[in-house]
Amino acid sequence: MSTITATTVSEYELVSGLEIHVQLNTNTKIFSADSAAFGADPNEHISPVSLALPGALPKLNQQVVAKAIKMGLALNCTINQTNFFDRKNYFYADLPKGYQITQDNLPICQNGFLEVILSNGEVKRIGINRIHLEEDAGKSLHDQDDKYSFVDLNRAGVPLIEIVTEPDIRSAEEASALLTEMRKRVRHLDVSDGNMEEGSLRCDANISIRPVGATAFGTRCEVKNLNSIRNVRRAMDFEFNRQVELVNAGGQVVQSTLNFDADKGTTSPMRSKEMANDYRYFPDPDLAPLVISDEWLNKLKAEMPALPREISQQLVNDYGFNLTEATLLAEDAALLAYFNAALTAVKQQKSLLNWLVGPIRALLNEREIQITGYAVSPQQLAEVINLTDDKKITQQAALQQLLPALEQAPETDVLALTKTLNLLIEDDNDALGDFVDQVLLKYEAQVAAYKKGKKGVLGLFVGEVMKMAKGKADPQKVNALVQEKLS
Ligand code: ADP
Ligand code: MG
């Protein structure tokens, strides 16, 4: 321990390293052909391997390895081309084999880093110690019955990677920036859906404190199973204050494993049995060492998609987009794919970008869905945008009527539907002129005010004409017409 002493909160700094579990989005489990999908009824996705029936043998899923390597490359890691699996032994009802297959001594990826941008603009580099492959356990259900507990083994054998960072994190802000960036990368690489609520991304936070300026680390506590970025921040804030108070009161931090109570925002020690750490790791004799050929590794390297930062720069260069909007698009792989699919069908690329990062993204956020869950196809949206740009339909009618109608009937021809809904702007100048005359007559007093310089009333006239035209007029044109008649 350091010899520097400190007495107030501001004289301490937080030190943290995260262990992040990422559930991979493969179709099947890591060592069997059972479905790895989320949300099935209990024990629908099982087989002799998940049940650990005698004689059942694991067989490694190649896709799992490919995704772990991609993640390793994205985090600047060394890929260990020879690595192997270990058994981590413990007894629990949701672990029929009595051990978890994981990697202990020789993980698939090591020694990487990830850079995050903090709110003050500083670029912070956080070391990645390792990424290893492992299988998830099943789930015990204690709340289904008064007398019995049940076990659901759907999740047993679902592939995970565990990403272990170096203790480089110095604040809750850095931890949340890291997790946010991590979630972006797993989604961008199509390695995981990254949903923290469904447990696809969860983490344990190791937390210690030390006096500012000290070089040695303090004793850490490990807070288990944090399932949202917000809870990671809360757990860190709580632990930091708890440890500082403890040390200032003359106490010592004892290395321990803690639970986080999300309702209370507090941590508490796990039962000592749960903490006992005697896993007796040894190499799994059922699985041969995993050897990754140069050829395959090079193929995976070649398949790596460009990073969001590179893509947004490309969008700026190619289409003259501004960086903020380009970044919104580049960071959402599904939205970017949608953009690319609509690109050839749209007349103005800038309009497509504006629609996607503007109203369409707002709509997706509101429904909490990704663009892949949106029923309007890229080609159809392109046609809607073209109609709007050509002033054949107002943006309001497109957003409030045409797109919702297309969602209900995704196969429909866009122009035909526009006509059926009676949304085409009427180019009838005489009719519009009539409406303008009527409005100006009706609002005599406001017209007088306008002529005395109260230009603000123009919006009223335009709005009234638009109402009479039932929204099927080009607001700019109406605006010009009104001004013309008033001058
Ligand atoms: P173990 O194998 O006992 O779990 P590791 O050395 O693998 O320990 O570390 C686990 C995690 O704890 C890593 O993310 C690491 O960065 C973090 N860590 C290690 N020491 C400290 C410390 N003193 N304070 C905070 N985090 C730490
Ligand atoms: Mg560890």
Side-chain angles (χ1 to χ4, degrees):
M1 279 293 286
S2 151
T3 52
I4 302 173
T5 53
T7 51
T8 66
V9 170
S10 62
E11 290 170 38
Y12 288 97
E13 73 174 352
L14 174 131
V15 172
S16 174
L18 301 181
E19 294 167 84
I20 305 163
H21 290 90
V22 181
Q23 183 176 319
L24 304 181
N25 61 357
T26 51
N27 293 328
T28 56
K29 293 185 182 177
I30 180 168
F31 299 120
S32 72
D34 304 352
S35 166
F38 179 83
D41 282 340
N43 298 310
E44 280 194 338
H45 297 163
I46 56 171
S47 64
V49 174
S50 316
L51 292 171
L53 297 187
L57 286 172
K59 188 161 183 283
L60 182 59
N61 179 343
Q62 191 182 24
Q63 276 305 307
V64 169
V65 182
K67 286 182 193 262
I69 292 174
K70 284 190 177 170
M71 201 57 204
L73 293 172
L75 297 180
N76 308 290
C77 290
T78 308
I79 310 299
N80 289 325
Q81 285 181 251
T82 302
N83 57 93
F84 57 85
F85 290 96
D86 296 286
R87 290 185 179 182
K88 178 179 180 178
N89 299 280
Y90 64 98
F91 179 79
Y92 210 74
D94 60 22
L95 190 75
K97 291 198 300 297
Y99 59 85
Q100 177 194 27
I101 304 179
T102 180
Q103 297 192 300
D104 183 32
N105 280 328
L106 197 55
I108 187 163
C109 314
Q110 272 173 308
N111 298 330
F113 65 87
L114 177 62
E115 283 178 346
V116 294
I117 302 170
L118 304 177
S119 59
N120 64 4
E122 186 196 327
V123 176
K124 167 86 193 209
R125 178 179 285 209
I126 294 163
I128 303 295
N129 176 281
R130 60 190 276 154
I131 303 177
H132 63 254
L133 290 162
E134 61 186 26
E135 59 179 342
D136 209 344
K139 196 164 75 178
S140 298
L141 308 165
H142 302 297
D143 55 359
Q144 312 279 308
D145 189 272
D146 295 344
K147 285 200 195 123
Y148 299 102
S149 282
F150 294 103
V151 176
D152 175 9
L153 293 176
N154 283 347
R155 224 176 55 188
V158 161
L160 303 176
I161 52 174
E162 180 174 333
I163 304 170
V164 181
T165 79
E166 296 295 348
D168 291 343
I169 296 165
R170 294 289 174 273
S171 67
E173 189 207 343
E174 290 180 15
S176 62
L178 175 83
L179 285 166
T180 305
E181 183 62 30
M182 206 61 97
R183 186 170 55 188
K184 276 182 197 159
R185 298 235 172 155
V186 299
R187 287 180 175 164
H188 185 72
L189 291 168
D190 191 25
V191 154
S192 167
D193 63 29
N195 285 339
M196 291 191 87
E197 321 75 59
E198 290 177 2
S200 304
L201 197 73
R202 49 189 192 263
C203 87
D204 306 333
N206 297 270
I207 301 162
S208 64
I209 59 162
R210 66 179 174 187
V212 172
T215 48
F217 289 134
T219 304
R220 71 188 150 109
C221 292
E222 180 176 6
V223 188
K224 285 285 191 191
N225 281 323
L226 296 163
N227 61 359
S228 72
I229 293 177
R230 180 167 167 262
N231 283 346
V232 172
R233 297 184 75 122
R234 292 169 74 209
M236 282 190 169
D237 289 340
F238 180 85
E239 261 310 293
F240 179 71
N241 289 321
R242 183 187 73 83
Q243 293 182 18
V244 169
E245 269 174 37
L246 180 69
V247 171
N248 279 340
Q252 270 191 338
V253 176
V254 182
Q255 183 160 350
S256 52
T257 307
L258 308 173
N259 274 318
F260 179 68
D261 182 329
D263 293 328
K264 298 201 195 110
T266 58
T267 63
S268 59
M270 283 189 169
R271 283 181 294 137
S272 59
K273 254 191 204 163
E274 286 174 320
M275 281 165 51
N277 209 332
D278 186 15
Y279 294 128
R280 291 174 295 122
Y281 283 100
F282 65 89
D284 191 313
D286 287 342
L287 287 155
L290 172 55
V291 179
I292 297 156
S293 69
D294 289 341
E295 196 190 351
W296 192 40
L297 183 57
N298 289 334
K299 184 166 171 284
L300 291 171
K301 280 184 183 163
E303 283 170 15
M304 285 291 284
L307 286 173
R309 255 180 253 182
E310 296 160 6
I311 296 172
S312 49
Q313 197 51 55
Q314 190 79 40
L315 291 168
V316 170
N317 297 345
D318 290 358
Y319 307 113
F321 295 165
N322 87 36
L323 188 61
T324 314
E325 288 163 347
T327 303
L328 286 174
L329 190 57
E331 287 184 341
D332 185 335
L335 198 63
L336 183 67
Y338 191 100
F339 170 84
N340 284 324
L343 203 52
T344 49
V346 84
K347 290 182 187 167
Q348 296 185 45
Q349 292 149 344
K350 186 78 210 312
S351 298
L352 176 59
L353 176 74
N354 289 341
W355 277 73
L356 286 181
V357 302
I360 300 296
R361 218 172 59 97
L363 182 142
L364 301 178
N365 285 344
E366 194 185 299
R367 295 187 198 169
E368 295 181 6
I369 56 167
Q370 304 242 69
I371 190 82
T372 42
Y374 187 54
V376 177
S377 73
Q379 287 69 26
Q380 286 178 314
L381 182 70
E383 283 183 60
V384 173
I385 294 173
N386 289 341
L387 285 174
T388 316
D389 284 347
D390 291 345
K391 309 241 182 279
K392 297 222 167 72
I393 164 175
T394 63
Q395 172 151 358
Q396 199 182 10
L399 275 171
Q400 294 177 355
Q401 297 180 61
L402 185 53
L403 287 175
L406 278 168
E407 282 189 69
Q408 295 308 312
E411 300 298 322
T412 329
D413 179 78
V414 174
L415 189 59
L417 187 59
T418 311
K419 286 178 181 158
T420 313
L421 293 171
N422 201 13
L423 296 176
L424 279 185
I425 287 177
E426 280 155 22
D427 251 340
D428 186 345
N429 277 329
D430 289 351
L432 274 186
D434 264 4
F435 294 152
V436 174
D437 290 342
Q438 288 178 44
V439 167
L440 296 185
L441 263 179
K442 184 172 163 200
Y443 291 95
E444 216 176 318
Q446 285 82 350
V447 170
Y450 178 88
K451 290 191 170 156
K452 283 193 193 129
K454 203 176 163 217
K455 302 293 178 205
V457 290
L458 190 65
L460 168 75
F461 306 145
V462 175
E464 288 298 305
V465 174
M466 288 299 291
K467 256 191 233 163
M468 294 181 82
K470 301 206 167 63
K472 296 185 296 171
D474 171 11
Q476 270 174 323
K477 192 165 161 185
V478 173
N479 201 305
L481 213 58
V482 172
Q483 292 203 47
E484 193 187 304
K485 297 233 178 202
L486 282 168
S487 63

